[in-house]
PDB file of all heavy atoms in Angstrom:
ATOM      1  N   ILE A   1       0.826  -1.210  -0.044  1.00 90.00           N
ATOM      2  CA  ILE A   1      -0.054   0.003   0.006  1.00 90.00           C
ATOM      3  C   ILE A   1       0.836   1.299   0.016  1.00 90.00           C
ATOM      4  O   ILE A   1       0.674   2.265  -0.821  1.00 90.00           O
ATOM      5  CB  ILE A   1      -0.935  -0.029   1.251  1.00 90.00           C
ATOM      6  CG1 ILE A   1      -1.992  -1.174   1.125  1.00 90.00           C
ATOM      7  CG2 ILE A   1      -1.626   1.299   1.365  1.00 90.00           C
ATOM      8  CD1 ILE A   1      -2.755  -1.430   2.375  1.00 90.00           C
ATOM      9  N   GLN A   2       1.888   1.312   0.901  1.00 89.00           N
ATOM     10  CA  GLN A   2       2.668   2.460   1.074  1.00 89.00           C
ATOM     11  C   GLN A   2       3.748   2.704   0.018  1.00 89.00           C
ATOM     12  O   GLN A   2       3.957   3.794  -0.518  1.00 89.00           O
ATOM     13  CB  GLN A   2       3.333   2.535   2.443  1.00 89.00           C
ATOM     14  CG  GLN A   2       2.452   2.817   3.513  1.00 89.00           C
ATOM     15  CD  GLN A   2       3.228   3.343   4.867  1.00 89.00           C
ATOM     16  OE1 GLN A   2       2.576   3.194   5.930  1.00 89.00           O
ATOM     17  NE2 GLN A   2       4.384   3.700   4.653  1.00 89.00           N
ATOM     18  N   ILE A   3       4.428   1.570  -0.362  1.00 92.00           N
ATOM     19  CA  ILE A   3       5.600   1.723  -1.353  1.00 92.00           C
ATOM     20  C   ILE A   3       5.208   1.436  -2.727  1.00 92.00           C
ATOM     21  O   ILE A   3       5.591   2.130  -3.697  1.00 92.00           O
ATOM     22  CB  ILE A   3       6.720   0.844  -0.827  1.00 92.00           C
ATOM     23  CG1 ILE A   3       7.084   1.113   0.584  1.00 92.00           C
ATOM     24  CG2 ILE A   3       7.892   0.994  -1.734  1.00 92.00           C
ATOM     25  CD1 ILE A   3       7.527   2.547   0.868  1.00 92.00           C
ATOM     26  N   LYS A   4       4.400   0.421  -2.939  1.00 93.00           N
ATOM     27  CA  LYS A   4       4.016   0.010  -4.340  1.00 93.00           C
ATOM     28  C   LYS A   4       2.739   0.741  -4.748  1.00 93.00           C
ATOM     29  O   LYS A   4       2.305   0.553  -5.895  1.00 93.00           O
ATOM     30  CB  LYS A   4       3.847  -1.478  -4.388  1.00 93.00           C
ATOM     31  CG  LYS A   4       5.168  -2.272  -4.061  1.00 93.00           C
ATOM     32  CD  LYS A   4       6.252  -1.933  -5.062  1.00 93.00           C
ATOM     33  CE  LYS A   4       7.540  -2.830  -4.718  1.00 93.00           C
ATOM     34  NZ  LYS A   4       8.633  -2.477  -5.596  1.00 93.00           N
ATOM     35  N   ASP A   5       2.116   1.444  -3.812  1.00 91.00           N
ATOM     36  CA  ASP A   5       0.980   2.320  -4.285  1.00 91.00           C
ATOM     37  C   ASP A   5      -0.200   1.511  -4.781  1.00 91.00           C
ATOM     38  O   ASP A   5      -0.831   1.876  -5.745  1.00 91.00           O
ATOM     39  CB  ASP A   5       1.411   3.404  -5.272  1.00 91.00           C
ATOM     40  CG  ASP A   5       0.377   4.530  -5.308  1.00 91.00           C
ATOM     41  OD1 ASP A   5      -0.311   4.824  -4.267  1.00 91.00           O
ATOM     42  OD2 ASP A   5       0.314   5.122  -6.383  1.00 91.00           O
ATOM     43  N   VAL A   6      -0.497   0.377  -4.183  1.00 90.00           N
ATOM     44  CA  VAL A   6      -1.639  -0.430  -4.544  1.00 90.00           C
ATOM     45  C   VAL A   6      -2.787  -0.155  -3.548  1.00 90.00           C
ATOM     46  O   VAL A   6      -2.569   0.276  -2.414  1.00 90.00           O
ATOM     47  CB  VAL A   6      -1.418  -1.973  -4.659  1.00 90.00           C
ATOM     48  CG1 VAL A   6      -0.256  -2.126  -5.651  1.00 90.00           C
ATOM     49  CG2 VAL A   6      -1.153  -2.509  -3.253  1.00 90.00           C
ATOM     50  N   SER A   7      -4.023  -0.435  -3.947  1.00 89.00           N
ATOM     51  CA  SER A   7      -5.105  -0.288  -3.054  1.00 89.00           C
ATOM     52  C   SER A   7      -5.189  -1.245  -1.959  1.00 89.00           C
ATOM     53  O   SER A   7      -4.549  -2.266  -2.008  1.00 89.00           O
ATOM     54  CB  SER A   7      -6.472  -0.355  -3.839  1.00 89.00           C
ATOM     55  OG  SER A   7      -6.670  -1.658  -4.311  1.00 89.00           O
ATOM     56  N   GLU A   8      -5.933  -0.997  -0.902  1.00 85.00           N
ATOM     57  CA  GLU A   8      -6.057  -1.944   0.200  1.00 85.00           C
ATOM     58  C   GLU A   8      -6.590  -3.240  -0.229  1.00 85.00           C
ATOM     59  O   GLU A   8      -6.176  -4.365   0.166  1.00 85.00           O
ATOM     60  CB  GLU A   8      -6.904  -1.336   1.295  1.00 85.00           C
ATOM     61  CG  GLU A   8      -6.176  -0.227   2.103  1.00 85.00           C
ATOM     62  CD  GLU A   8      -7.129   0.405   3.133  1.00 85.00           C
ATOM     63  OE1 GLU A   8      -8.353   0.126   3.085  1.00 85.00           O
ATOM     64  OE2 GLU A   8      -6.639   1.265   3.867  1.00 85.00           O
ATOM     65  N   GLY A   9      -7.640  -3.210  -1.188  1.00 86.00           N
ATOM     66  CA  GLY A   9      -8.210  -4.443  -1.729  1.00 86.00           C
ATOM     67  C   GLY A   9      -7.238  -5.279  -2.454  1.00 86.00           C
ATOM     68  O   GLY A   9      -7.162  -6.523  -2.289  1.00 86.00           O
ATOM     69  N   ILE A  10      -6.420  -4.689  -3.343  1.00 90.00           N
ATOM     70  CA  ILE A  10      -5.444  -5.435  -4.095  1.00 90.00           C
ATOM     71  C   ILE A  10      -4.354  -6.012  -3.169  1.00 90.00           C
ATOM     72  O   ILE A  10      -3.880  -7.098  -3.317  1.00 90.00           O
ATOM     73  CB  ILE A  10      -4.808  -4.551  -5.239  1.00 90.00           C
ATOM     74  CG1 ILE A  10      -5.937  -4.224  -6.289  1.00 90.00           C
ATOM     75  CG2 ILE A  10      -3.631  -5.270  -5.844  1.00 90.00           C
ATOM     76  CD1 ILE A  10      -5.491  -3.291  -7.332  1.00 90.00           C
ATOM     77  N   ALA A  11      -3.983  -5.235  -2.198  1.00 90.00           N
ATOM     78  CA  ALA A  11      -2.933  -5.629  -1.260  1.00 90.00           C
ATOM     79  C   ALA A  11      -3.443  -6.889  -0.488  1.00 90.00           C
ATOM     80  O   ALA A  11      -2.688  -7.858  -0.360  1.00 90.00           O
ATOM     81  CB  ALA A  11      -2.604  -4.551  -0.280  1.00 90.00           C
ATOM     82  N   THR A  12      -4.713  -6.874  -0.059  1.00 86.00           N
ATOM     83  CA  THR A  12      -5.267  -8.062   0.575  1.00 86.00           C
ATOM     84  C   THR A  12      -5.336  -9.224  -0.359  1.00 86.00           C
ATOM     85  O   THR A  12      -5.060 -10.318   0.109  1.00 86.00           O
ATOM     86  CB  THR A  12      -6.737  -7.657   1.111  1.00 86.00           C
ATOM     87  OG1 THR A  12      -6.605  -6.625   2.049  1.00 86.00           O
ATOM     88  CG2 THR A  12      -7.365  -8.913   1.790  1.00 86.00           C
ATOM     89  N   GLY A  13      -5.680  -8.935  -1.642  1.00 90.00           N
ATOM     90  CA  GLY A  13      -5.730 -10.053  -2.539  1.00 90.00           C
ATOM     91  C   GLY A  13      -4.403 -10.621  -2.769  1.00 90.00           C
ATOM     92  O   GLY A  13      -4.258 -11.945  -2.835  1.00 90.00           O
ATOM     93  N   LEU A  14      -3.332  -9.860  -2.949  1.00 92.00           N
ATOM     94  CA  LEU A  14      -2.061 -10.408  -3.131  1.00 92.00           C
ATOM     95  C   LEU A  14      -1.461 -11.118  -1.869  1.00 92.00           C
ATOM     96  O   LEU A  14      -0.790 -12.205  -2.079  1.00 92.00           O
ATOM     97  CB  LEU A  14      -1.035  -9.217  -3.440  1.00 92.00           C
ATOM     98  CG  LEU A  14      -1.206  -8.612  -4.833  1.00 92.00           C
ATOM     99  CD1 LEU A  14      -0.415  -7.235  -4.950  1.00 92.00           C
ATOM    100  CD2 LEU A  14      -0.691  -9.521  -5.872  1.00 92.00           C
ATOM    101  N   PHE A  15      -1.903 -10.654  -0.753  1.00 89.00           N
ATOM    102  CA  PHE A  15      -1.467 -11.311   0.466  1.00 89.00           C
ATOM    103  C   PHE A  15      -2.109 -12.735   0.561  1.00 89.00           C
ATOM    104  O   PHE A  15      -1.541 -13.717   0.947  1.00 89.00           O
ATOM    105  CB  PHE A  15      -1.919 -10.407   1.681  1.00 89.00           C
ATOM    106  CG  PHE A  15      -1.290 -10.914   2.987  1.00 89.00           C
ATOM    107  CD1 PHE A  15       0.110 -10.982   3.225  1.00 89.00           C
ATOM    108  CD2 PHE A  15      -2.070 -11.206   4.116  1.00 89.00           C
ATOM    109  CE1 PHE A  15       0.643 -11.365   4.424  1.00 89.00           C
ATOM    110  CE2 PHE A  15      -1.532 -11.557   5.342  1.00 89.00           C
ATOM    111  CZ  PHE A  15      -0.138 -11.593   5.543  1.00 89.00           C
ATOM    112  N   SER A  16      -3.433 -12.847   0.160  1.00 87.00           N
ATOM    113  CA  SER A  16      -4.078 -14.075   0.095  1.00 87.00           C
ATOM    114  C   SER A  16      -3.507 -14.975  -1.048  1.00 87.00           C
ATOM    115  O   SER A  16      -3.278 -16.180  -0.750  1.00 87.00           O
ATOM    116  CB  SER A  16      -5.539 -13.902  -0.164  1.00 87.00           C
ATOM    117  OG  SER A  16      -6.174 -13.236   0.873  1.00 87.00           O
ATOM    118  N   ALA A  17      -3.116 -14.339  -2.107  1.00 89.00           N
ATOM    119  CA  ALA A  17      -2.454 -15.141  -3.231  1.00 89.00           C
ATOM    120  C   ALA A  17      -1.183 -15.775  -2.708  1.00 89.00           C
ATOM    121  O   ALA A  17      -0.762 -16.938  -3.060  1.00 89.00           O
ATOM    122  CB  ALA A  17      -2.218 -14.318  -4.398  1.00 89.00           C
ATOM    123  N   PHE A  18      -0.376 -15.106  -1.880  1.00 90.00           N
ATOM    124  CA  PHE A  18       0.815 -15.470  -1.304  1.00 90.00           C
ATOM    125  C   PHE A  18       0.630 -16.777  -0.491  1.00 90.00           C
ATOM    126  O   PHE A  18       1.305 -17.840  -0.672  1.00 90.00           O
ATOM    127  CB  PHE A  18       1.403 -14.386  -0.368  1.00 90.00           C
ATOM    128  CG  PHE A  18       2.548 -14.871   0.521  1.00 90.00           C
ATOM    129  CD1 PHE A  18       3.761 -14.902  -0.023  1.00 90.00           C
ATOM    130  CD2 PHE A  18       2.351 -15.155   1.816  1.00 90.00           C
ATOM    131  CE1 PHE A  18       4.869 -15.294   0.793  1.00 90.00           C
ATOM    132  CE2 PHE A  18       3.294 -15.414   2.642  1.00 90.00           C
ATOM    133  CZ  PHE A  18       4.692 -15.519   2.143  1.00 90.00           C
ATOM    134  N   PHE A  19      -0.393 -16.804   0.328  1.00 84.00           N
ATOM    135  CA  PHE A  19      -0.715 -18.058   1.090  1.00 84.00           C
ATOM    136  C   PHE A  19      -1.384 -19.121   0.257  1.00 84.00           C
ATOM    137  O   PHE A  19      -1.260 -20.285   0.526  1.00 84.00           O
ATOM    138  CB  PHE A  19      -1.556 -17.656   2.290  1.00 84.00           C
ATOM    139  CG  PHE A  19      -0.803 -16.888   3.365  1.00 84.00           C
ATOM    140  CD1 PHE A  19      -1.130 -15.612   3.651  1.00 84.00           C
ATOM    141  CD2 PHE A  19       0.180 -17.431   4.097  1.00 84.00           C
ATOM    142  CE1 PHE A  19      -0.388 -14.876   4.573  1.00 84.00           C
ATOM    143  CE2 PHE A  19       0.890 -16.769   5.035  1.00 84.00           C
ATOM    144  CZ  PHE A  19       0.639 -15.408   5.293  1.00 84.00           C
ATOM    145  N   ALA A  20      -2.198 -18.657  -0.725  1.00 85.00           N
ATOM    146  CA  ALA A  20      -2.806 -19.687  -1.602  1.00 85.00           C
ATOM    147  C   ALA A  20      -1.739 -20.467  -2.289  1.00 85.00           C
ATOM    148  O   ALA A  20      -1.908 -21.824  -2.459  1.00 85.00           O
ATOM    149  CB  ALA A  20      -3.754 -18.991  -2.578  1.00 85.00           C
ATOM    150  N   THR A  21      -0.686 -19.891  -2.741  1.00 86.00           N
ATOM    151  CA  THR A  21       0.403 -20.681  -3.350  1.00 86.00           C
ATOM    152  C   THR A  21       0.999 -21.655  -2.330  1.00 86.00           C
ATOM    153  O   THR A  21       1.437 -22.707  -2.693  1.00 86.00           O
ATOM    154  CB  THR A  21       1.485 -19.683  -3.935  1.00 86.00           C
ATOM    155  OG1 THR A  21       0.839 -18.669  -4.673  1.00 86.00           O
ATOM    156  CG2 THR A  21       2.509 -20.416  -4.744  1.00 86.00           C
ATOM    157  N   GLY A  22       1.047 -21.291  -1.027  1.00 79.00           N
ATOM    158  CA  GLY A  22       1.511 -22.128  -0.090  1.00 79.00           C
ATOM    159  C   GLY A  22       0.784 -23.462   0.071  1.00 79.00           C
ATOM    160  O   GLY A  22       1.353 -24.472   0.537  1.00 79.00           O
ATOM    161  N   ILE A  23      -0.486 -23.488  -0.325  1.00 78.00           N
ATOM    162  CA  ILE A  23      -1.301 -24.659  -0.313  1.00 78.00           C
ATOM    163  C   ILE A  23      -0.606 -25.699  -1.138  1.00 78.00           C
ATOM    164  O   ILE A  23      -0.724 -26.947  -0.868  1.00 78.00           O
ATOM    165  CB  ILE A  23      -2.770 -24.387  -0.734  1.00 78.00           C
ATOM    166  CG1 ILE A  23      -3.360 -23.445   0.311  1.00 78.00           C
ATOM    167  CG2 ILE A  23      -3.468 -25.643  -0.768  1.00 78.00           C
ATOM    168  CD1 ILE A  23      -4.723 -22.955  -0.259  1.00 78.00           C
ATOM    169  N   VAL A  24       0.026 -25.347  -2.226  1.00 83.00           N
ATOM    170  CA  VAL A  24       0.692 -26.194  -3.175  1.00 83.00           C
ATOM    171  C   VAL A  24       2.189 -26.435  -2.673  1.00 83.00           C
ATOM    172  O   VAL A  24       2.688 -27.588  -2.603  1.00 83.00           O
ATOM    173  CB  VAL A  24       0.718 -25.663  -4.593  1.00 83.00           C
ATOM    174  CG1 VAL A  24       1.600 -26.585  -5.493  1.00 83.00           C
ATOM    175  CG2 VAL A  24      -0.627 -25.465  -5.134  1.00 83.00           C
ATOM    176  N   VAL A  25       2.860 -25.415  -2.177  1.00 85.00           N
ATOM    177  CA  VAL A  25       4.201 -25.485  -1.765  1.00 85.00           C
ATOM    178  C   VAL A  25       4.452 -26.412  -0.654  1.00 85.00           C
ATOM    179  O   VAL A  25       5.384 -27.202  -0.653  1.00 85.00           O
ATOM    180  CB  VAL A  25       4.768 -23.993  -1.478  1.00 85.00           C
ATOM    181  CG1 VAL A  25       6.095 -24.044  -0.827  1.00 85.00           C
ATOM    182  CG2 VAL A  25       4.752 -23.206  -2.686  1.00 85.00           C
ATOM    183  N   GLN A  26       3.576 -26.298   0.419  1.00 79.00           N
ATOM    184  CA  GLN A  26       3.923 -27.040   1.610  1.00 79.00           C
ATOM    185  C   GLN A  26       3.814 -28.559   1.537  1.00 79.00           C
ATOM    186  O   GLN A  26       4.691 -29.247   1.978  1.00 79.00           O
ATOM    187  CB  GLN A  26       3.152 -26.533   2.732  1.00 79.00           C
ATOM    188  CG  GLN A  26       3.580 -25.094   3.154  1.00 79.00           C
ATOM    189  CD  GLN A  26       2.911 -24.581   4.440  1.00 79.00           C
ATOM    190  OE1 GLN A  26       1.716 -24.759   4.653  1.00 79.00           O
ATOM    191  NE2 GLN A  26       3.669 -23.809   5.206  1.00 79.00           N
ATOM    192  N   PRO A  27       2.720 -29.119   0.899  1.00 77.00           N
ATOM    193  CA  PRO A  27       2.743 -30.522   0.762  1.00 77.00           C
ATOM    194  C   PRO A  27       3.914 -31.002  -0.095  1.00 77.00           C
ATOM    195  O   PRO A  27       4.506 -32.127   0.025  1.00 77.00           O
ATOM    196  CB  PRO A  27       1.438 -30.856   0.113  1.00 77.00           C
ATOM    197  CG  PRO A  27       0.535 -29.744   0.431  1.00 77.00           C
ATOM    198  CD  PRO A  27       1.454 -28.517   0.490  1.00 77.00           C
TER     199      PRO A  27
END
């Protein structure tokens, strides 16, 4: 939000995508 100048909604979506990828990565 502060440095990359994205909206709160997009930042939340990217944060969720980060963990969504972990669903594949961890097993």
Side-chain angles (χ1 to χ4, degrees):
I1 293 167
Q2 284 199 199
I3 305 300
K4 299 300 183 181
D5 198 29
V6 304
S7 68
E8 291 176 350
I10 292 176
T12 299
L14 288 168
F15 194 57
S16 293
F18 169 79
F19 289 110
T21 309
I23 298 172
V24 177
V25 169
Q26 289 189 322

